Amino acid sequence: MARKMWMRGTIAAVSAAAMLALGACSSEPASEESGGSESAEGSGGDELISIGFSQVGAESGWRAANTQSIQDTLTEENGFDLSFSDAQQKQENQIQALRSYIQQGVDVLAFSPVVETGWDAVLEEAKSAGIPVILTDRAVDSEDDTLYESFIGSDFVLEGEMAGEWAVEQYDGEGYKMVELQGTTGSAPAIDRKEGFGTAISGSDIEVIDSQTGNFTRTEGKQVMEGFLQKYDDIDLVFAHNDDMGLGAIEAIEAAGMTPGEDIKIITIDAVKDGMQALADGKINYIVECNPLLGPDLAEIAQKVVAGEEVEKRIVVEDLAFDQEAAVEALPDRQY
Ligand code: GYE
């Protein structure tokens, strides 16, 4: 009876037809309000859309897949001249990158904000320069939603809820003690997944005995889990805000002589290849997906914004969820 896999959220996948249209649109001129830059010329003489993208970092398998999707989609062939930078999980690096793209006068700015707060000043600079901004993956918590055109990404509260609902379905009534490995402090996915999970388990007898950040990385996830295992000898369940921290926790649990997935159950979010493999191997118990393939949506929205067309302010990306059996079935066709 347990639901193996289900879909929720609005579907925002880009069809093959839309991708074709994307190529066809690439000869459209940049809009007047685009900052006045002359876009680079493609081989066929078409005007490319120059886009400056500031990535969070390279902290996880999810991020690697996200970067690849963006770089594979925003190509000259598809009508883009992409400038890409990696902020190494530091907000100051992102702000610096955005400022330099503004100075270069790109047609479009896009970024995945490492944390939620502190963006208003640089977003206002972009606005005064007439450069439209597209947020991907993570949100900013700005009062003024005219500072960006569109936000493309998953519903992280829903992801946390889906994970928490499954935990309750499986483990309520067992008096489970749980530890939480949080994502980067102040980031939208860490804040929202914690909230969603907390809401879903409230009223159950799952008790959260500790919660610390592992910064979305495998190394820090392992370190934090080692600390938890030294401090507590009665941990039943780990909720990790991403696969990589869950994979780090697996290493710590195994090093402590226990069996992950059995002695200590593990729930994570992302469903990247390594996570799905660990789930299929029985070391993780459940994963809620977070789809990282945002390149096609970003390309489509950038095209529209430059052409002066209306775009949706919020595009919610579809997410699935997998138990161990579903992971075995899904693994052969996984794209990331
Ligand atoms: O879950 C995590 C990554 O912002 C959704 O960031 C993204 C999160 C993802 O480091 O693995």
Side-chain angles (χ1 to χ4, degrees):
M1 283 279 294
R3 276 169 293 170
K4 274 202 285 184
M5 185 165 120
W6 72 94
M7 279 192 218
R8 287 158 78 177
T10 313
I11 294 176
V14 172
S15 65
M19 285 304 297
L20 281 175
L22 225 158
C25 285
S26 62
S27 56
E28 284 180 22
S31 71
E32 302 266 318
E33 326 81 78
S34 70
S37 76
E38 280 305 306
S39 296
E41 295 280 292
S43 47
D46 289 346
E47 225 181 314
L48 300 176
I49 293 172
S50 61
I51 179 161
F53 187 92
S54 169
Q55 180 60 291
V56 167
E59 73 282 5
S60 64
W62 190 98
R63 190 64 56 197
N66 178 249
T67 291
Q68 186 163 6
S69 170
I70 287 159
Q71 290 180 335
D72 286 354
T73 318
L74 299 177
T75 58
E76 286 199 14
E77 233 177 8
N78 285 337
F80 295 94
D81 173 20
L82 172 68
S83 303
F84 181 94
S85 53
D86 174 338
Q88 302 184 333
Q89 297 238 66
K90 293 203 176 75
Q91 182 172 34
E92 72 236 45
N93 292 347
Q94 280 201 299
I95 291 176
Q96 209 175 30
L98 294 174
R99 290 212 164 109
S100 98
Y101 295 142
I102 293 170
Q103 259 190 345
Q104 286 166 36
V106 292
D107 296 324
V108 179
L109 269 181
F111 73 117
S112 173
V114 58
V115 290
E116 275 190 341
T117 55
W119 299 103
D120 282 18
V122 71
L123 291 179
E124 266 153 27
E125 287 163 33
K127 195 175 175 180
S128 326
I131 302 177
V133 175
I134 301 168
L135 302 176
T136 66
D137 161 34
R138 298 182 181 178
V140 298
D141 86 340
S142 173
E143 298 284 296
D144 180 1
D145 77 356
T146 67
L147 291 177
Y148 62 92
E149 302 298 317
S150 185
F151 165 39
I152 306 161
S154 293
D155 180 340
F156 302 135
V157 176
L158 182 63
E159 290 173 349
E161 271 170 16
M162 287 162 75
E165 278 165 18
W166 190 83
V168 170
E169 247 176 53
Q170 301 296 312
Y171 307 129
D172 191 20
E174 310 277 339
Y176 267 26
K177 302 216 180 312
M178 186 193 107
V179 292
E180 182 178 31
L181 296 170
Q182 292 183 43
T184 303
T185 305
S187 70
I191 294 167
D192 293 353
R193 288 171 182 168
K194 182 174 179 45
E195 182 197 317
F197 195 93
T199 307
I201 64 163
S202 76
S204 78
D205 71 356
I206 297 170
E207 186 196 343
V208 183
I209 56 171
D210 215 330
S211 177
Q212 278 177 39
T213 181
N215 209 18
F216 281 130
T217 68
R218 210 176 282 207
T219 315
E220 286 176 69
K222 184 180 177 202
Q223 283 164 2
V224 174
M225 191 63 204
E226 281 166 354
F228 285 157
L229 288 167
Q230 272 161 20
K231 208 159 148 197
Y232 310 101
D233 58 9
D234 54 354
I235 300 170
D236 301 298
L237 175 65
V238 177
F239 169 46
H241 288 186
N242 78 342
D243 288 353
D244 282 82
M245 292 189 295
L247 292 162
I250 288 173
E251 289 176 30
I253 293 166
E254 284 175 340
M258 284 178 277
T259 309
E262 288 179 22
D263 298 330
I264 299 182
K265 311 284 198 283
I266 303 177
I267 298 174
T268 68
I269 295 180
D270 273 356
V272 292
K273 270 255 165 67
D274 290 355
M276 289 291 274
Q277 188 61 57
L279 181 62
D281 293 345
K283 295 182 176 192
I284 293 179
N285 301 81
Y286 196 64
I287 303 185
V288 175
E289 181 187 54
C290 182
N291 189 339
L293 306 180
L294 306 182
D297 278 348
L298 172 57
E300 191 188 349
I301 296 297
Q303 287 273 13
K304 285 190 175 159
V305 163
V306 169
E309 289 171 32
E310 282 276 307
V311 294
E312 281 176 65
K313 200 86 204 180
R314 175 74 172 106
I315 294 170
V316 183
V317 176
E318 154 198 337
D319 290 319
L320 306 170
F322 303 88
D323 66 8
Q324 293 172 344
E325 222 181 299
V328 173
E329 276 169 40
L331 255 178
D333 304 320
R334 254 353 240 172
Q335 281 182 64
Y336 53 88

